[in-house]
Amino acid sequence: MPDEARWRLSGWLGPWRAATVEQRRTGLLAAGSAVVGLTVAATCVVAAGPWDSGQRTAERQRAASGAHPGDDGRPGPDPARAPGASPVLAPLGAPLASPSPDTGERSVPVPTGPGLADALEPLLRDDALGPLRAGAVVDVATGRQLYGAKAGTGAIPASTIKIATGVAALSALGPGHRLTTRVTAAPNAPGRIVLVGGGDPTLTARATRGPDGSHPASLRQLADETARALRARGEHTVRLDYDTSLYTGTSRHPILPNENLAPVTALMVDEGRRDDSDRGPADRVKDPAAEAARAFARLLRDRGVKVTGDPRPTGAGDGDDGDRGGDKGGKDAKGDGKDGKGGADGPGRTLASVRSQPLSSLVERMLTYSDNDIAEALTRHTARATGHPASFAGGRAAVTARLKRLGLPVAGAHLADGSGLDRADKVSAGLLAQLLARAAGPDQPALRPVLTGLPVAGFTGTLRDRYGEEAVGRGVVRAKTGTLFGVNTLAGTVVDADGRLLTFAFLTNGSTDPAAAQRVLDRLASAVANCGCR
């Protein structure tokens, strides 16, 4: 969405948020006509694309710089300064209170625990929720939990665990990190080249490009560069191998085979999808790495390079770490290829390479569309960056360690995977709310993509088709969804009726009517947004 349109949207939302609860209830009927304008704005957001559009990029830059809505959009004078509530979340208008003459900070009333309880507990008693129902609300400015209902109880989080995955990856690697796929000339083997997987699940064989000219790493571009490099070497016939040794352990998630996730391997194109989709469930190939290598061979042939035989695997990426409890060995945790097998960082002259979009964009895409393949990849890259084996067990240990290093309450948490598809995952509502609060904190600007990637209620991603009946939360709540059989969760951010930035998490396990449970979770988030709660 162009900035001008976003500030126009801000002009409507700002007074709405500034109104008292009673005034806002009275104004609901009059606001109906404004919904048309919001719908048009939403269309602009969706059409632009959430992870590589100018709208999302500008939002992320403002969040990191501390610029406020109504500013000219340029970064503020102190990039290290923490952003306020509004620039992180959306163009919701400035908080109500004026800046303090002493500190320059804006001060708005803090909701009270009893006030939040009055608004939330009747909803938490709804029969649509399962026997385990938990919630937490945290004040971002202080990091203090304002409300909790079984907030420390571990529950199956489903895809809300991706918030932890994003925080850990950004903390370990930084938002500018990119994933590189390479082609190398095999040492001491003339005429042999190796396609080396860099763990980029967004690598594509399609001729796609974003509206702003950006695009994921392209297998076609890699083939172009490889063909040019081979011609320069006077080589026109090659043998193609492929290397997946960047990752260790099994590629099989406990739920596989499943249309929500491909086998987890360091080399794949288009997430191993058999159709032309780029998100959501889809039939997946059984061996994404082999299929990616075959696609690359076809592209090379199209460019005049003769590729003999069928691509063969090489490297050390085909092992199994046994059960889900731990890794065996792990000395070569980063897959450095020093064993001479042509590992991901090993010997062999690089002929060509392509890089993914920055990690900030991958995290946003993962959260907006609940992309399981990106989530599992980021868990392994977090493991590699912190000296753990790049496997399920290594990722589990690495993510937990990063969260603990950030001072987050991980006691009792069990992060079995990065995507939330594993029902062995256990995370508390308090941890999820604190994760989001930390991503908005003044000392963690690298974590902002966790906030800018959250779907907007009624507008984008997995919340696009929700909040039809929740006018108060529509366009205001930003949250990650989670759904498994009997599991419904929602965790995100709101600015309350007084202009206070809050994070929340609501989880229920054992629900029998997913649609009804989702509606209750949506009402809970809307209640926080609509609440002065004192």
Side-chain angles (χ1 to χ4, degrees), residues 226-456:
T226 301
R228 284 195 296 268
L230 290 171
R231 284 194 294 270
R233 291 161 59 97
E235 297 184 26
H236 304 284
T237 300
V238 295
R239 171 81 200 189
L240 176 64
D241 294 341
Y242 59 94
D243 185 342
T244 62
S245 64
L246 188 76
Y247 294 171
T248 63
T250 180
S251 65
R252 291 187 58 81
H253 188 281
I255 68 162
L256 288 178
N258 190 285
E259 62 183 5
N260 290 295
L261 179 70
V264 184
T265 176
L267 177 62
M268 63 172 66
V269 292
D270 298 307
E271 298 182 337
R273 297 171 181 270
R274 292 184 183 274
D275 58 20
D276 60 357
S277 65
D278 62 2
R279 68 192 69 160
D283 189 24
R284 311 298 183 103
V285 299
K286 292 182 179 179
D287 189 344
E291 291 297 329
R294 292 186 189 108
F296 188 63
R298 289 193 295 270
L299 290 170
L300 287 178
R301 292 183 182 111
D302 290 344
R303 286 151 179 78
V305 178
K306 182 178 180 181
V307 181
T308 61
D310 200 41
R312 301 174 303 182
T314 187
D318 302 316
D320 191 323
D321 63 1
D323 62 27
R324 287 154 54 193
D327 289 282
K328 317 296 183 184
K331 288 184 178 181
D332 191 19
K334 295 189 178 183
D336 60 14
K338 291 180 180 178
D339 57 1
K341 294 182 179 180
D345 298 317
R349 177 185 174 187
T350 297
L351 299 176
S353 64
V354 290
R355 299 199 305 163
S356 72
Q357 292 178 285
L359 185 66
S360 56
S361 295
L362 301 187
V363 168
E364 287 174 344
R365 176 174 174 176
M366 172 187 71
L367 294 171
T368 300
Y369 290 109
S370 201
D371 192 302
N372 299 307
D373 299 278
I374 294 177
E376 296 300 345
L378 294 188
T379 300
R380 280 159 175 70
H381 285 285
T382 300
R384 279 178 46 80
T386 54
H388 292 81
S391 62
F392 283 106
R396 186 160 57 240
V399 172
T400 303
R402 292 307 295 184
L403 301 189
K404 186 180 295 185
R405 182 173 176 176
L406 289 168
L408 290 157
V410 297
H414 181 66
L415 308 174
D417 65 358
S419 61
L421 292 170
D422 194 333
R423 300 180 74 89
D425 289 320
K426 291 291 186 294
V427 173
S428 69
L431 174 56
L432 289 172
Q434 287 289 352
L435 278 163
L436 292 163
R438 187 59 53 88
D443 58 340
Q444 298 293 337
L447 303 184
R448 298 296 185 266
V450 171
L451 301 186
T452 56
L454 294 174
V456 180

